[in-house]
């Protein structure tokens, strides 16, 4: 595996040799002073260029970065909505284990780009295009505590979509139930846990993409309870996960409400919890397989 020094020399060497590339910046975990360092950290790089068409029209230019096992160009992928027309990305996973997420951005937008992310550092600036940037900080990614309407909205969404999970289970629509559990109910639980962490840390930490650092800040029993909400595909386990989610959400939401001076809608909680239990007890018609 190429070292960090080798990768940075390669990234900057390609930029120095190409007159179209006028500046190079980096952001992401490698510039985040609070992110753990390991071999799987991406190199999140931006090349500020005079124009992009000559790069896009000659796709082989990125071969200079090394032998890839896979490439994604999200701006050309029909599965994804189109991004800003003035940027173009190459996501490159290399055979030696390194990864570069490289974006091209026009030099005409240099100042605007520099202001987007407080983790940005300037690696190369051939023309003095970029302003002096402060030391990188992850403050934009730290937990932000809710106001009362956002707290209430999170609670309402959690309990509202829980009824969809129950409906799907009664119908034996396992994928429908799991999707609503994982894509709608769980994010509200994670958000509530995140707010609880934010209260404990005075908003001084971030829990990372996909809540990957959440374990650091939760008591062991609460972390285990969260893990217990990830079921296999059996109906019994999904029902159990839904019940565990409800208990964990209620416990955490009551704590957040007390600490922030919000009202928790206990009636909504009680009525939905009783409804879920009644659906679980309902006899079901036989369905053909």
């Amino acid at each position: 595996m190429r070292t960090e020094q080798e990768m940075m020399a390669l990234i900057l060497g390609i930029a120095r040799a190409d007159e179209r590339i006028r500046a190079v910046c980096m952001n992401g975990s490698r510039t985040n002073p609070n992110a753990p360092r390991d071999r799987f950290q991406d190199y999140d790089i931006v090349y500020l260029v005079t124009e992009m068409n000559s790069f896009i029209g000659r796709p082989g230019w990125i071969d200079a970065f090394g032998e890839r096992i896979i490439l994604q160009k999200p701006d050309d992928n029909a599965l994804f909505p189109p991004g800003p027309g003035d940027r173009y990305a190459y996501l490159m996973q290399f055979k030696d284990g390194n990864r570069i997420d490289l974006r091209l951005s026009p030099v005409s937008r240099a100042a605007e780009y520099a202001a987007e992310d407080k983790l940005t550092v300037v690696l190369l600036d051939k023309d003095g295009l970029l302003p002096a940037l402060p030391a990188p900080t992850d403050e934009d990614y730290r937990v932000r505590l809710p106001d009362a309407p956002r707290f209430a909205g999170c609670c309402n969404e959690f309990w509202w979509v829980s009824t969809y999970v129950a409906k799907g289970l009664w119908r034996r629509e396992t994928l429908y139930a799991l999707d609503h559990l994982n894509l709608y109910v769980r994010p509200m639980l994670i958000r509530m846990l995140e707010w609880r962490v934010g209260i404990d840390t005075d908003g001084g930490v971030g829990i990372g993409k996909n809540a990957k650092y959440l374990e650091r800040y939760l008591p062991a029993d609460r972390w285990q309870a969260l893990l217990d909400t990830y079921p296999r595909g059996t109906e019994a386990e999904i029902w159990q996960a839904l019940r565990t989610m409800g208990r964990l959400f209620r416990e955490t939401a009551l704590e957040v409400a007390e600490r922030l001076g919000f009202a928790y809608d206990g009636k909504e909680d009680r009525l939905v919890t009783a409804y879920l239990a009644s659906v679980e007890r309902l006899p079901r018609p036989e369905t053909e397989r």
Side-chain angles (χ1 to χ4, degrees), residues 152-163 184-189 242 244-250 264 272 276:
C154 178
C155 295
N156 180 259
E157 178 74 353
F158 178 89
W159 293 112
W160 170 253
V161 184
S162 294
T163 66
Y184 302 99
V185 180
R186 187 181 308 286
M188 297 302 103
L189 173 58
L242 185 60
T244 301
M245 277 186 169
R247 288 195 296 271
L248 184 55
F249 185 89
R250 178 184 307 110
Y264 178 69
V272 172
L276 298 178

Side-chain angles (χ1 to χ4, degrees), residues 12-236:
L12 292 173
I14 290 172
R16 289 190 178 103
D18 194 323
E19 286 299 309
R20 298 169 298 175
I21 303 171
R22 307 312 302 168
V24 182
C25 296
M26 183 166 69
N27 52 38
S29 66
R30 286 188 177 271
T31 65
N32 184 347
N34 294 317
R37 299 182 67 80
D38 62 40
R39 63 185 293 141
F40 290 106
Q41 285 181 293
D42 306 340
Y43 293 85
D44 294 299
I45 301 295
V46 173
Y47 280 174
L48 294 165
V49 298
T50 55
E51 52 83 24
M52 293 191 296
N53 289 337
S54 63
F55 289 99
I56 297 169
R58 189 174 65 86
W61 77 274
I62 61 172
D63 294 345
F65 290 104
E67 186 177 358
R68 301 182 301 273
I69 62 170
I70 190 168
L71 165 70
Q72 185 174 83
K73 296 186 283 187
D75 300 284
D76 290 341
N77 193 320
L79 285 177
F80 303 131
D86 61 347
R87 297 183 184 179
Y88 193 84
Y90 303 86
L91 312 182
M92 298 174 278
Q93 178 67 56
F94 299 103
K95 191 173 182 180
D96 70 351
N98 280 298
R99 172 173 161 170
I100 297 176
D101 289 355
L102 174 65
R103 258 193 309 165
L104 303 179
S105 186
V107 293
S108 60
R109 306 287 293 278
E112 179 181 337
Y113 161 75
E116 286 180 4
D117 191 334
K118 291 180 181 177
L119 286 173
T120 297
V121 297
V122 179
L123 303 178
L124 177 68
D125 189 352
K126 296 177 181 179
D127 309 307
L129 293 168
L130 295 160
L133 298 179
T137 173
D138 66 352
E139 63 183 69
D140 287 343
Y141 299 92
R142 294 174 188 169
V143 175
R144 296 183 180 179
L145 296 180
D147 56 13
R150 289 183 67 223
F151 173 80
C154 178
C155 295
N156 180 259
E157 178 74 353
F158 178 89
W159 293 112
W160 170 253
V161 184
S162 294
T163 66
Y164 287 64
V165 181
K167 176 172 63 176
L169 288 169
W170 187 85
R171 289 174 171 170
R172 296 189 173 94
E173 296 170 346
T174 303
L175 294 184
Y176 177 95
L178 282 171
D179 267 3
H180 283 81
L181 185 81
N182 291 321
L183 299 180
Y184 302 99
V185 180
R186 187 181 308 286
M188 297 302 103
L189 173 58
I190 296 291
R191 183 170 296 183
M192 193 61 69
L193 289 167
E194 175 184 343
W195 288 338
R196 185 67 179 85
V197 168
I199 292 170
D200 288 339
T201 61
D202 293 324
V205 302
I207 63 168
K209 188 176 183 180
N210 302 115
K212 60 185 178 181
Y213 303 140
L214 186 57
E215 182 182 5
R216 298 179 184 179
Y217 305 106
L218 291 183
D221 59 340
R222 194 163 294 190
W223 173 249
Q224 186 57 54
L226 176 60
L227 294 182
D228 290 343
T229 69
Y230 289 83
R232 292 178 294 179
T234 68
E235 290 181 8

